[in-house]
Amino acid sequence: MKFLFTSLFISLQLLCINAYAQHKYELNSGWKCSPMAKVKEDGSAVSNPSYSLSSWIPAVVPGTVLTTMLENKQIPDPFFGMNNEKIPDIFKTGPEYYTYWFVKDFNETVKAGEQVWLHFRGVNYSFDIYLNGKKLNSKRHSGMFLRQSYNITSLLLKTGSNRLAVIVFPPDAVGNANGGQGGDGTIAKNVAHQYVAGWDWIQPVRDRNTGIWDKVLIEKTGKINIKNPHIITLVPGQRKPEGAQKPATIKATAELENPTDAPLKGVLQYVLDGKKISKEVTIKPRSTTEITLPDLQLENPKLWWPFGYGAQHLYALKMQFLLNGAVSDEENINVGVREIQADWNSTTRSKQISVNGQRVFIKGGNWIISDAMLRFTDARYDAEVRFHRDMNLNLLRIWGGALTERPEFYQACDKYGILVMQDFWGSGDCNGRWVDPMKKDDQWVRRKYPDDHGLFLESAADQIKMIRNYPSLAIWCGGNEITLPEDIMVPLRDTILPKLDGTRWFIDYSNSDDMSFNSLGGNGDGPYGIQPLKRFFEYKTWPFNSEIGSVGVGDYESLERFLPKENMIAPIYSEKTGKETVDSVWNYHKYIGYEKYVAPYGKVKDLRDFGKKAQLINYDQYRSLMEGFSAHMWDWYTGVIIWKTQNPWTALRGQMYDYYLDPNACLYGLHNGSAPLHVMFNQADSTVMITNNTFKHQYDMMLNITAVDISGKEKSLGQVFVEIGPSTTRMIMSIKNEIRELAKKEGMFLSLRLSNTKKEILSDNLYWLPDSEGAYSGLNKMSAADIDVQVRQSEKGKVEVTLSNPAKNPVAFFNRLALVDPKTKKRVLPVFYDDNYVSVLPGEKKTVVMDYSQTSGELPLVSIDGWNVKEQFIPLK
C-alpha cells in the first residue's frame, strides 16, 4: 500500500491479518532535531543508533521548523500582536538558518515473509533520508507535494532498535517577503505553496514552512503490497435521494507491488455491501502492475449527496490480496456512490454542477488552509468543515496558492456533504497574469514558473492518486486566476487526469470562461468589500462567481485573543475625510475596513460597541449576498463562492469564524441566507421571495409577512398559502409601499415566515430596516427587553437554551449565545450552534441547541448578550 487514508481514518491501530502481524503506525512523537549548522557529522553517522542526541531538542513531526521552535519557546507566538516581526525571516538569514536534521528512534523487526515500508506523505522542500547508517535516496528529493515510499525490510537491525535521520532543506527560492502578493513572486519557482511569502490576508511565514510537514508512517505487509487503489462509481440517469434506486456500477483498480525476486500468484479481491469481486493474477518479480477488477453492479444503492439534498452514505470497501489463501495486504476504503456531471447552462453562460443527474446550485466558500504553520489535526478539520455545513454551504474551493488538501480534510467533507473544487498550485499574482512592481521578475519570466515542470506534473499525478477516491472531490482546477503554463496544463488535462481519474470536470483556471463566461470585462470575480445590500440583488456579476466577499471581524472576545491590550482600539471613521483611522496592529493583521457602514448604527462608543455593530454588518452582508445570488438562480447564476470563509491565522478579514474556531455573525447570516428552503426580502425592489434549493416540490406553506416597530408593535402585511417547485426561486409579492411608510421615521423590523399545515415553522427570517435617511435610528432608542432564559443539558455535550420574550416587550434583538468557563468567563471553543445572533419577537420564544465536547470538570455557563438584552450568565441544570 502507498498512502491511502480512508474516510474513517485508520487511527494508526494495528491491522491484524491471518498471515502476518501486519500493521501500520505513525512516527509522530519522540523526534529530535538540530540546526544543520550545529551538526558536523554526515547522515551515515547521525543515523547510527549509537550517535548521541543529548544536545538535540524535541521536534514536532508532523510539523515545521517554526512549530518546533515555538514548542521549545525559542520564538513567540507569531499569530499574536506583532510577534511575527520578532522572528528572523529566511530571506535575510539565508536558508541554512532553517535547514534542520530530524531524527527518530523506533523499534521494529521483520519476520520471514514480511515486508516493511517507510512512507513520507509530505516534506517541504527537499530532503535526504538515512536509516541505520545507510542513505535511502540516491538523489535528493524535492517538491512539497510528492509522497515518498521506501522498502526498508533489509535495513532494519536485528536488535529492533532503529534510527531514522532526515535532513530537510528550505525551498530553493524562498522569496523576498516585500509586502506583495506572494512577496516578490519567486516563491512560485518551487512546486510548493505560495502564501508563505505573504499575501493581502497574511503576513509571511518566516521559515516558509520548512519541515516534515505531513505524516511519516511505518507499514508492514506480506510479499505483495497494494498501492493506490482506485474506485469509480457510475450512477446513470437522474436520481432522487429517496426511494428505490436503479443499479450503480462500481469499477476498481489497484497497483500490486512485488518486491521479491520470484513471481507471485494470488487473488486480488474486494468486498462491498456483502458482494465479493475477485481476480486471479500473477505479479512479476521486482515489479508493480496495475490490475483491473471486474465491474460490480450494485443493486438499489444508497447514494451519497451534497448537504441539503440527501444523505451522505458511505460504504465500507475492503480490498485484499490473497497469497496462498492468506492475506498479504489489505486496504479499507469508504466509498460514496455518486456521479458528478458538469453541463453548460446557455441561459447563464456558465457551467452548472449536477450530482446523480440533479443540478445543484453551488453555494461555496474559498478555503485557504486549516493552519498557516501546517499544524493539522483531524479534530480541527472536522470542526472547520462542520462550520461550513452549518453555514448551509455545499462546496469548498481549495485556493491555488495553498496546497492539495489532506485526506483528513476530504474525510470531513465526505462526512458533512461538502463538495470540493481542488486547485493545483499557481496564482495570477505570482505566476505573471498582471504587471506588478513588487515582483522580482517580469511577466514573461513569471509565466514560466515553476522552474521544474516535470516535478510539477509528477507531483500532480501523485496527489491525484492520493485523493481521487473521495466522493466529495468534484472539480479539478488548474490555477487561481491564471492557467498553468501550457506544457503543464495540456498533459495534466489531456493525459494525466483522464488516465488517473477521468470522472471529474477540469477547468483551466478559477475564473475561466469555461466555468463562467466573462461578458463584463475585468478579472472575472469580485466585488470585494462591503456592498450596499440592494447591490447583491440588482447588480449582475459573473455567472459562476469564484470569488466575492469582504469583511469578517470578530467581536471583542475574539479580538482580545490576539491583540495586545494597548491595541484594543476601535477604528474611527471620519465623514469629513471618508477614511478610517486604524491601529497599526490591526493593519498588520490585514484589517479590511467597515468605514461608513458603521455610522448608520450610531457613533461608536468603544471597541466592544464597535464589535457588536460590526456583527450586525457581518450578518446582513452575508445573508444578503447569498440571497441576492439565490434570487437569480439559473437565471443569472449557477453558483457563487465566497472569498473567503476562514483564515489560517489571526487575520481581520474574510472569515465566518476566527482562527480559534469562534464563530462571528457572518456564519449565521450565511446559515440563514443559504438555507435550502428560504423566504427572503429582496433589498432592491422590496419584494418577498422564496427560494427552494431542494429536489422536492414544496406545497401548502403559509407565508406570514409581519412588520414590527421599534417598541414591538406588530402589523400584518400579508398572509397567503404558497407553493414552489424544486430547485427554483420565485417572487411572491411586493411590499414596497408599506415598507416605505412604516420604516421612514425610525426604521422597523420585518418578519418573514413559512409554516407547514401543522403550523411548524419551515423558514424564519427577521430583517432590520433603516429609516428614510438610511440610518438605524430606532435601534438606539429600543427599550431593554427583560427576557426569561432557561437552560438545560439535554445530554452530555448538548445544551438547550430557550429564550422567552414577554408580549409587551420590544423585540429581544440580536442575542449572541455562548458557553463560557465558569471561572474565567472565557468562551468554550469550539461550540456548534444550530443558530446564533437570534432575535425573539414579543410574546414568543426560541430554542437554540449548542453542541460541544464536554470534558471533565465543572459544567460551563451559558452566556447571553444582546443588543437590548443585558449580558448574563446562567448555570446549566
Side-chain angles (χ1 to χ4, degrees):
M1 165 192 167
K2 185 178 179 181
F3 299 114
L4 187 72
F5 293 81
T6 67
S7 295
L8 294 177
F9 180 60
I10 302 171
S11 305
L12 308 172
Q13 301 170 355
L14 300 186
L15 300 179
C16 296
I17 59 176
N18 56 356
Y20 306 101
Q22 181 201 14
H23 60 284
K24 65 178 177 181
Y25 54 91
E26 187 178 346
L27 300 180
N28 59 3
S29 62
W31 288 80
K32 290 194 171 184
C33 70
S34 176
M36 181 184 71
K38 293 184 178 181
V39 179
K40 306 304 179 186
E41 296 77 13
D42 64 11
S44 298
V46 172
S47 64
N48 190 309
S50 64
Y51 180 83
S52 175
L53 303 175
S54 60
S55 62
W56 292 36
I57 62 172
V60 178
V61 175
T64 65
V65 173
L66 276 192
T67 55
T68 285
M69 295 176 77
L70 182 61
E71 185 72 16
N72 287 279
K73 297 182 170 53
Q74 295 177 340
I75 59 169
D77 179 2
F79 290 5
F80 183 85
M82 299 287 286
N83 282 349
N84 196 52
E85 290 298 298
K86 301 174 184 178
I87 302 171
D89 191 84
I90 192 170
F91 184 78
K92 297 178 179 178
T93 65
E96 186 178 273
Y97 185 87
Y98 288 109
T99 301
Y100 267 64
W101 278 102
F102 295 87
V103 171
K104 167 65 178 173
D105 292 329
F106 66 100
N107 294 316
E108 190 57 77
T109 57
V110 61
K111 298 177 182 178
E114 287 182 334
Q115 300 290 325
V116 183
W117 310 84
L118 171 65
H119 302 303
F120 287 84
R121 212 171 71 174
V123 179
N124 191 31
Y125 180 71
S126 57
F127 61 108
D128 288 322
I129 310 169
Y130 299 82
L131 178 65
N132 297 329
K134 304 292 184 181
K135 190 177 183 183
L136 297 185
N137 56 315
S138 57
K139 178 184 176 182
R140 181 174 296 174
H141 293 301
S142 293
M144 183 178 185
F145 309 121
L146 187 60
R147 299 172 296 167
Q148 300 295 335
S149 184
Y150 306 90
N151 189 317
I152 60 173
T153 308
S154 64
L155 296 179
L156 295 175
L157 299 180
K158 292 182 179 180
T159 62
S161 298
N162 303 281
R163 174 171 292 178
L164 175 65
V166 185
I167 184 169
V168 181
F169 302 89
D172 297 336
V174 299
N176 180 7
N178 60 5
Q181 305 283 77
D184 68 359
T186 57
I187 192 72
K189 291 164 71 69
N190 313 287
V191 181
H193 51 3
Q194 298 179 0
Y195 72 83
V196 286
W199 222 270
D200 62 3
W201 47 267
I202 194 171
Q203 293 295 342
V205 181
R206 298 304 185 186
D207 68 342
R208 306 297 188 265
N209 279 333
T210 301
I212 306 172
W213 65 276
D214 206 350
K215 298 179 185 294
V216 183
L217 293 141
I218 297 290
E219 180 189 16
K220 298 180 78 172
T221 71
K223 292 180 180 179
I224 293 290
N225 178 26
I226 301 174
K227 303 196 304 182
N228 298 315
H230 185 200
I231 310 300
I232 292 175
T233 63
L234 301 179
V235 184
Q238 187 181 78
R239 306 297 182 101
K240 291 185 177 180
E242 66 284 336
Q245 299 286 346
K246 293 180 180 179
T249 301
I250 312 297
K251 293 179 172 289
T253 64
E255 298 169 17
L256 299 181
E257 182 174 8
N258 176 7
T260 73
D261 294 324
L264 294 173
K265 184 177 182 180
V267 175
L268 178 65
Q269 66 179 34
Y270 73 83
V271 177
L272 175 70
D273 196 34
K275 312 295 189 302
K276 181 185 289 186
I277 300 294
S278 63
K279 186 174 185 178
E280 188 174 275
V281 296
T282 299
I283 309 302
K284 296 178 181 179
R286 301 289 176 184
S287 69
T288 299
T289 304
E290 184 176 80
I291 302 299
T292 300
L293 287 162
D295 292 350
L296 167 64
Q297 290 297 112
L298 186 63
E299 300 295 329
N300 194 23
K302 297 178 181 178
L303 301 181
W304 186 96
W305 295 92
F307 173 70
Y309 295 95
Q312 292 78 51
H313 184 80
L314 296 170
Y315 286 93
L317 182 149
K318 178 179 290 188
M319 181 178 285
Q320 298 173 322
F321 187 81
L322 303 180
L323 195 60
N324 298 321
V327 178
S328 177
D329 194 12
E330 178 177 297
E331 293 289 352
N332 292 277
I333 309 163
N334 278 349
V335 176
V337 178
R338 63 93 184 99
E339 186 172 335
I340 303 288
Q341 299 95 9
D343 304 303
W344 187 254
N345 184 312
S346 58
T347 301
T348 62
R349 302 180 78 184
S350 61
K351 280 285 176 64
Q352 61 186 24
I353 305 303
S354 296
V355 180
N356 302 327
Q358 296 274 9
R359 65 181 180 177
V360 172
F361 187 72
I362 295 300
K363 300 175 291 183
N366 276 277
W367 170 281
I368 304 297
I369 198 170
S370 182
D371 180 272
M373 291 169 61
L374 312 183
R375 294 168 292 186
F376 303 146
T377 66
D378 294 5
R380 185 177 178 93
Y381 272 134
D382 189 273
E384 291 205 64
V385 175
R386 180 175 178 178
F387 275 142
H388 286 82
R389 189 276 310 269
D390 291 349
M391 296 174 212
N392 284 313
L393 299 184
N394 55 31
L395 179 138
L396 280 169
R397 174 197 164 210
I398 315 304
W399 174 71
L403 48 74
T404 313
E405 260 305 350
R406 301 298 88 195
E408 295 75 27
F409 166 84
Y410 279 96
Q411 290 156 23
C413 290
D414 287 355
K415 173 182 176 182
Y416 291 114
I418 304 295
L419 299 171
V420 182
M421 173 178 168
Q422 175 68 65
D423 287 16
F424 287 98
W425 321 295
S427 72
D429 294 282
C430 287
N431 292 79
R433 183 167 183 184
W434 304 283
V435 174
D436 188 345
M438 303 298 288
K439 298 298 179 276
K440 180 180 179 180
D441 297 325
D442 65 24
Q443 286 174 273
W444 297 102
V445 174
R446 287 186 282 133
R447 190 69 194 99
K448 299 176 184 177
Y449 291 171
D451 288 344
D452 191 338
H453 290 196
L455 176 60
F456 189 106
L457 290 170
E458 183 184 5
S459 301
D462 181 69
Q463 298 293 279
I464 291 164
K465 289 181 179 181
M466 183 179 75
I467 62 175
R468 63 188 175 182
N469 287 328
Y470 294 101
S472 53
L473 177 59
I475 305 168
W476 296 106
C477 177
N480 173 62
E481 299 176 332
I482 194 170
T483 62
L484 302 169
E486 188 174 4
D487 63 342
I488 291 178
M489 185 186 72
V490 171
L492 179 63
R493 180 194 65 198
D494 296 347
T495 305
I496 294 174
L497 275 167
K499 178 183 178 182
L500 300 182
D501 183 357
T503 67
R504 296 174 173 96
W505 171 34
F506 173 80
I507 55 172
D508 47 7
Y509 66 107
S510 61
N511 42 18
S512 165
D513 279 355
D514 181 52
M515 175 175 176
S516 179
F517 185 77
N518 185 354
S519 62
L520 304 178
N523 193 45
D525 51 22
Y528 304 92
I530 298 176
Q531 307 296 316
L533 299 182
K534 68 177 184 177
R535 194 166 191 258
F536 293 119
F537 295 86
E538 65 183 8
Y539 172 68
K540 184 178 181 181
T541 76
W542 295 271
F544 194 136
N545 197 322
S546 62
E547 291 187 13
I548 178 174
S550 61
V551 290
V553 166
D555 59 11
Y556 187 92
E557 287 76 8
S558 173
L559 295 170
E560 67 179 349
R561 296 190 186 101
F562 63 94
L563 293 178
K565 289 182 180 179
E566 59 270 23
N567 302 107
M568 293 284 284
I569 303 169
I572 300 173
Y573 176 73
S574 168
E575 292 186 11
K576 184 177 181 181
T577 64
K579 296 181 179 179
E580 270 185 320
T581 302
V582 182
D583 179 84
S584 61
V585 179
W586 287 57
N587 280 330
Y588 191 80
H589 286 260
K590 306 295 186 175
Y591 171 74
I592 185 171
Y594 285 69
E595 300 172 341
K596 64 181 179 181
Y597 292 94
V598 179
Y601 290 99
K603 186 177 180 180
V604 172
K605 302 171 187 175
D606 53 26
L607 182 55
R608 193 174 294 275
D609 185 52
F610 173 84
K612 278 191 175 183
K613 289 170 177 173
Q615 300 318 304
L616 288 163
I617 298 168
N618 288 349
Y619 193 103
D620 245 356
Q621 280 290 300
Y622 288 99
R623 172 172 61 178
S624 292
L625 185 157
M626 199 56 72
E627 289 177 339
F629 276 85
S630 297
H632 298 287
M633 177 171 64
W634 313 129
D635 174 17
W636 289 3
Y637 305 117
T638 53
V640 58
I641 310 178
I642 294 166
W643 182 261
K644 49 193 179 43
T645 47
Q646 50 86 241
N647 271 311
W649 83 301
T650 48
L652 287 167
R653 62 167 64 192
Q655 58 183 6
M656 313 295 117
Y657 51 90
D658 67 15
Y659 173 75
Y660 305 96
L661 305 182
D662 192 5
N664 62 50
C666 299
L667 193 157
Y668 298 98
L670 268 182
H671 168 80
N672 185 336
S674 300
L677 178 64
H678 182 63
V679 59
M680 60 189 180
F681 177 63
N682 186 316
Q683 302 274 359
D685 63 10
S686 298
T687 58
V688 176
M689 306 182 72
I690 301 174
T691 183
N692 177 14
N693 248 312
T694 75
F695 302 145
K696 294 181 179 180
H697 200 126
Q698 306 287 341
Y699 294 101
D700 292 333
M701 299 182 296
M702 177 66 77
L703 168 62
N704 285 96
I705 307 172
T706 306
V708 185
D709 69 16
I710 297 304
S711 65
K713 185 178 179 181
E714 298 183 4
K715 179 181 180 180
S716 176
L717 301 184
Q719 181 173 303
V720 59
F721 271 110
V722 295
E723 56 77 34
I724 186 170
S727 196
T728 301
T729 296
R730 57 179 295 222
M731 190 269 282
I732 304 300
M733 67 174 67
S734 174
I735 54 173
K736 184 175 183 179
N737 293 334
E738 293 90 336
I739 292 296
R740 183 190 296 117
E741 183 64 27
L742 292 170
K744 66 180 181 180
K745 184 177 180 181
E746 55 185 8
M748 60 172 282
F749 295 101
L750 175 65
S751 172
L752 304 179
R753 283 180 179 166
L754 287 177
S755 304
N756 61 18
T757 53
K758 297 178 182 179
K759 298 185 179 181
E760 298 166 330
I761 296 176
L762 304 175
S763 179
D764 188 1
N765 208 350
L766 183 74
Y767 297 85
W768 52 100
L769 304 180
D771 60 27
S772 59
E773 301 297 321
Y776 297 94
S777 53
L779 293 184
N780 289 314
K781 301 175 184 177
M782 289 183 73
S783 301
D786 186 14
I787 65 173
D788 178 68
V789 184
Q790 296 293 323
V791 304
R792 73 182 188 94
Q793 186 170 27
S794 57
E795 58 183 273
K796 186 175 181 180
K798 286 275 183 71
V799 176
E800 289 184 2
V801 182
T802 301
L803 311 178
S804 300
N805 190 17
K808 294 185 179 181
N809 265 0
V811 174
F813 181 52
F814 212 64
N815 295 282
R816 209 297 187 184
L817 300 169
L819 292 178
V820 301
D821 182 274
K823 295 186 176 67
T824 65
K825 301 297 191 295
K826 301 295 183 184
R827 288 176 185 161
V828 175
L829 301 174
V831 176
F832 305 94
Y833 308 85
D834 67 352
D835 201 1
N836 213 330
Y837 293 93
V838 295
S839 300
V840 188
L841 297 183
E844 296 188 358
K845 62 183 178 180
K846 186 168 288 188
T847 298
V848 174
V849 178
M850 306 174 174
D851 190 352
Y852 74 108
S853 297
Q854 182 176 327
T855 57
S856 57
E858 290 187 69
L859 291 174
L861 304 176
V862 171
S863 75
I864 179 172
D865 186 18
W867 182 263
N868 62 331
V869 173
K870 67 179 180 180
E871 184 179 23
Q872 51 190 296
F873 301 92
I874 305 101
L876 294 181
K877 295 181 181 179

